[in-house]
Amino acid sequence: MNHKKGLVLEGGAMRGLFTAGITDVMMEHGVWPDGIIGVSAGAAFGCNIKSRQPGRAIRYNTRFAKDSRYSGVKSLLTTGDYFNAEFAYHTMPKQLDPFDDHAFEENPMEFIAVCTDVETGKPVYKRLEQSGDVTYDWIRASASMPLVSKVVCLEGRKLLDGGVSDSIPLEYFESIGYRRNVVILTQPEGYQKEHNRLMPLLRLSLRKYPQMLKALDERHIMYNHQLEYVAQAEQEGRCLVIRPEGSIPIGHVCHDASQMLHVYHMGRKTGEKQLERIKTFYEQ
């Protein structure tokens, strides 16, 4: 029986540049999964694997690090989004650092972005095959962090950050036939998520969405359960887990290009170190 090879990409905002470093090394060495599932930054940076564009994530993030059109308090105050929706998800991929729509569509690799439906508090798994504006908006929805992003209304749903409802979607990916998965985490071994200290602000900001608030309130429980699930799968040889050796030295948002590069190179170093293990695991 042929087991599909999957790649599961956790989010973590700017910690996702660590993941981009690993996946760039994989691409450069011709190591391709059959499918990818990405959450938040995992989706925003992971789409460059299907479009076969190593180096793109770190390139545009460093290029626009200090550009107020891309992200920042000015964008948050004027548009409701810290990462400017129009500039970051439309102008930039279409004009300034073009996303290869053709390569994305031609590549048979499956690509799924995870979002959270704010009305149900449940995950939405969106398979993205066609490229273009709607796909960019699904990726934006996956990466739209509560408090610093507006709810994204798309295809009859109201959406935010996929990490709220399914942070490490290994179980879901296995359920649709991916039996050999490389899981890239952005927190070190031994990490346990704690209850969100910003719940009072979230309750105010998302008061119209009680199910979303419930998911946010219980997110740490869900996340720590998922870590147990991943550990069990790893023990049974169903997945290979790659994670940073220590905490990644970057905040959720960052405007310092040198710090971004540091995190990206941490990822590349890890990718180079783990490359043979990944190849062997996929080939088994």
Side-chain angles (χ1 to χ4, degrees):
M1 186 179 165
N2 184 20
H3 288 317
K4 286 197 288 186
K5 301 176 297 197
L7 183 61
V8 179
L9 305 178
E10 180 186 13
M14 281 301 170
R15 291 198 309 275
L17 289 172
F18 169 80
T19 306
I22 297 169
T23 56
D24 279 358
V25 168
M26 288 170 66
M27 284 194 267
E28 287 158 13
H29 288 85
V31 181
W32 305 99
D34 299 313
I36 299 167
I37 188 163
V39 182
S40 195
F45 301 160
C47 60
N48 297 300
I49 306 168
K50 185 168 160 67
S51 70
R52 298 179 181 257
Q53 290 177 283
R56 185 171 174 270
I58 187 63
R59 185 173 63 235
Y60 73 73
N61 273 289
T62 50
R63 179 179 168 188
F64 299 114
K66 288 188 160 68
D67 193 322
S68 64
R69 295 173 301 167
Y70 178 57
S71 67
V73 175
K74 183 184 171 191
S75 173
L76 179 63
L77 294 176
T78 55
T79 71
D81 286 300
Y82 191 91
F83 286 89
N84 185 292
E86 191 51 43
F87 184 86
Y89 290 95
H90 298 286
T91 307
M92 193 270 293
K94 286 200 274 195
Q95 296 167 25
L96 302 171
D97 195 324
F99 184 70
D100 194 333
D101 294 317
H102 179 72
F104 184 91
E105 290 176 5
E106 290 293 300
N107 189 345
M109 181 189 292
E110 190 169 24
F111 181 77
I112 294 172
V114 185
C115 303
T116 301
D117 185 317
V118 298
E119 293 179 313
T120 64
K122 298 277 186 274
V124 176
Y125 304 100
K126 181 67 178 176
R127 185 178 178 178
L128 299 169
E129 296 170 288
Q130 303 298 309
S131 196
D133 287 325
V134 174
T135 281
Y136 302 161
D137 277 333
W138 274 101
I139 292 167
R140 169 166 73 98
S142 179
S144 287
M145 297 179 285
L147 290 183
V148 294
S149 313
K150 283 186 308 205
V151 169
V152 180
C153 298
L154 201 51
E155 295 182 11
R157 293 181 183 269
K158 294 180 176 179
L159 305 160
L160 278 175
D161 184 357
V164 173
S165 54
D166 194 351
S167 298
I168 312 165
L170 173 63
E171 191 171 358
Y172 172 78
F173 222 31
E174 288 182 335
S175 79
I176 61 165
Y178 287 87
R179 296 296 158 82
R180 296 203 67 72
N181 292 293
V182 172
V183 180
I184 304 181
L185 302 179
T186 57
Q187 295 286 11
E189 190 149 21
Y191 173 82
Q192 288 281 292
K193 193 174 275 301
E194 291 175 3
H195 185 250
N196 194 329
R197 294 194 307 271
L198 297 174
M199 274 316 294
L201 278 176
L202 288 159
R203 283 201 177 91
L204 202 62
S205 155
L206 293 162
R207 57 191 176 278
K208 289 192 288 189
Y209 306 111
Q211 294 307 313
M212 182 67 171
L213 288 172
K214 186 174 187 283
L216 282 158
D217 205 22
E218 295 172 358
R219 184 183 178 188
H220 61 299
I221 302 167
M222 175 273 296
Y223 185 90
N224 296 331
H225 276 320
Q226 290 192 324
L227 287 177
E228 285 171 28
Y229 184 89
V230 168
Q232 183 68 31
E234 185 178 29
Q235 216 177 331
E236 291 168 13
R238 301 199 315 269
C239 78
L240 173 65
V241 182
I242 299 173
R243 49 165 75 85
E245 284 172 15
S247 290
I248 295 175
I250 200 165
H252 269 70
V253 295
C254 174
H255 298 282
D256 181 343
S258 63
Q259 203 176 1
M260 291 176 183
L261 279 164
H262 175 66
V263 168
Y264 172 74
H265 284 295
M266 277 174 68
R268 285 194 66 92
K269 220 160 127 182
T270 302
E272 282 154 9
K273 201 166 143 183
Q274 302 287 353
L275 189 64
E276 289 311 313
R277 277 183 78 210
I278 297 169
K279 280 183 181 170
T280 306
F281 178 78
Y282 273 160
E283 283 160 12
Q284 271 170 11

